[in-house]
Amino acid sequence: TLTAPAPFADETSCQCQAPHEKLTIAQARLGTPADRPVRVYADGIFDLFHSGHARALMQAKTLFPNSYLLVGVCSDDLTHKFKGFTVMNETERYEALRHCRYVDEVIRDAPWTLTPEFLEKHKIDFVAHDDIPYSSAGSDDVYKHIKEAGMFIPTQRTEGISTSDIITRIVRDYDVYARRNLQRGYTAKELNVSFINEKKYRFQNQVDKMKEKVKNVEEKSKEFVYKVEEKSHDLIQKWEEKSREFIGNFLELFGPDGAWKQMFQERSGRMLQAFSPRQSPNSSPTRGRSPSRSPSPPWVFNKASPPSSPKAASASLSSMSEGDEDEK
């Protein structure tokens, strides 16, 4: 388990204890004793340390079953002289290598061209690097003598990423990064930005903020409209269900065969009965009357012959009552 960064070569006594005998590639691939790991060396600038660097170091570390990876990092003076200006200084580059999981030891201020004295000092068995000829320091290939000695092991480059590609992206999108850093609190002097460009970038930042606010308002408006449409749909659906229920209840009450019609018919029949009662049937017995003469009420007296005395009047009433009983 890794619990600390890789040590620096000039601050440790981590050396191979067994006699450093010359190894062939075949012997190294078969495996070496635990106390005699194969010492593999990889060097570079390692500016803006990225996955391409880490992948190359992983290949160097896993070339043999038992290996010890030493990584040489060139100083700022040497790098600026032979290659150009770097983004990260040498201390930052050293520390980046120390924290890579494949690195066992870091050699600071590594030489540009490997000498036999340097190889012997660090007991290096093999050198790992990509196979593309590296022309620099007046040589067509700085690893030519390593290849001729049979100590060179090629690794594969990772396509699509390199320090030069990253720097190209930064230069291409310079305005974007300058505006971002101004917004984060960096001064125009720290960014080496002119007064006019600073004002232009700050104005563009304000415009972007306004655009973002408008975008947020539009998104919230769309969300609000969506919720209103969803609720409206639910309300319409509920209204349709309630309207069907209302129409059904209305038809059940006021329809052609509804309860209201039946109730009205029943009440109408009762009212007609009350105003015009039923007549007696034709078969019921009737009194025999003279068609030309209607019976006179018992209280009508004959004007031509009024009763002559109270006795005669009472006799007349008695005879009328007897006649009524006969009719009954």
Side-chain angles (χ1 to χ4, degrees), residues 79-95:
T79 303
H80 298 166
K81 179 180 178 181
F82 290 109
K83 188 170 184 178
F85 190 74
T86 58
V87 177
M88 301 169 64
N89 59 45
E90 60 184 25
T91 303
E92 293 170 331
R93 293 185 285 116
Y94 296 155
E95 289 297 324

Side-chain angles (χ1 to χ4, degrees), residues 8 61 76 137 152 157-158 189 197 200 202 216 256 295 299:
F8 290 121
K61 175 67 175 177
D76 286 346
F152 187 84
R157 293 177 64 91
T158 301
K189 185 178 180 180
N197 284 337
K200 181 183 72 173
R202 293 193 185 280
N216 292 335
W299 59 82

Side-chain angles (χ1 to χ4, degrees), residues 130-299:
D130 60 80
D131 202 14
I132 300 173
Y134 199 84
S135 58
S136 181
S139 174
D140 293 336
D141 188 1
V142 295
Y143 297 105
K144 182 178 179 181
H145 64 290
I146 303 295
K147 294 176 181 178
E148 291 175 350
M151 298 175 61
F152 187 84
I153 306 293
T155 57
Q156 300 297 321
R157 293 177 64 91
T158 301
E159 296 297 330
I161 187 168
S162 67
T163 301
S164 299
D165 292 339
I166 296 173
I167 294 174
T168 301
R169 294 180 211 169
I170 295 171
V171 173
R172 181 191 62 195
D173 301 325
Y174 170 77
D175 289 349
V176 176
Y177 297 125
R179 287 168 52 192
R180 184 181 68 181
N181 287 343
L182 280 173
Q183 193 173 8
R184 289 181 174 178
Y186 288 90
T187 64
K189 185 178 180 180
E190 289 174 326
L191 297 172
N192 195 25
V193 173
S194 66
F195 176 80
I196 295 175
N197 284 337
E198 178 190 3
K199 298 303 178 186
K200 181 183 72 173
Y201 293 149
R202 293 193 185 280
F203 176 74
Q204 289 175 342
N205 287 336
Q206 293 297 327
V207 172
D208 288 345
K209 284 183 180 180
M210 185 61 65
K211 288 181 179 179
E212 189 68 23
K213 288 182 179 179
V214 172
K215 184 179 178 181
N216 292 335
V217 170
E218 288 180 353
E219 290 178 355
K220 290 181 180 179
S221 300
K222 288 180 181 179
E223 184 178 357
F224 175 75
V225 171
Y226 175 76
K227 288 182 179 179
V228 169
E229 289 179 352
E230 188 176 6
K231 288 184 178 180
S232 300
H233 180 72
D234 294 340
L235 288 173
I236 290 172
Q237 189 174 4
K238 290 180 181 179
W239 182 84
E240 288 179 351
E241 294 175 357
K242 292 293 182 181
S243 61
R244 291 193 192 99
E245 183 180 354
F246 175 78
I247 293 170
N249 294 336
F250 182 85
L251 293 176
E252 185 178 354
L253 185 62
F254 298 102
D257 299 325
W260 179 259
K261 182 178 180 181
Q262 295 178 2
M263 183 174 64
F264 181 75
Q265 289 177 350
E266 290 179 0
R267 291 190 177 182
S268 298
R270 291 176 184 174
M271 290 175 68
L272 289 174
Q273 264 186 335
F275 285 112
S276 58
R278 295 180 181 178
Q279 295 180 355
S280 300
N282 294 330
S283 60
S284 60
T286 57
R287 291 181 300 177
R289 294 190 181 92
S290 173
S292 59
R293 183 181 175 185
S294 59
S296 299
W299 59 82

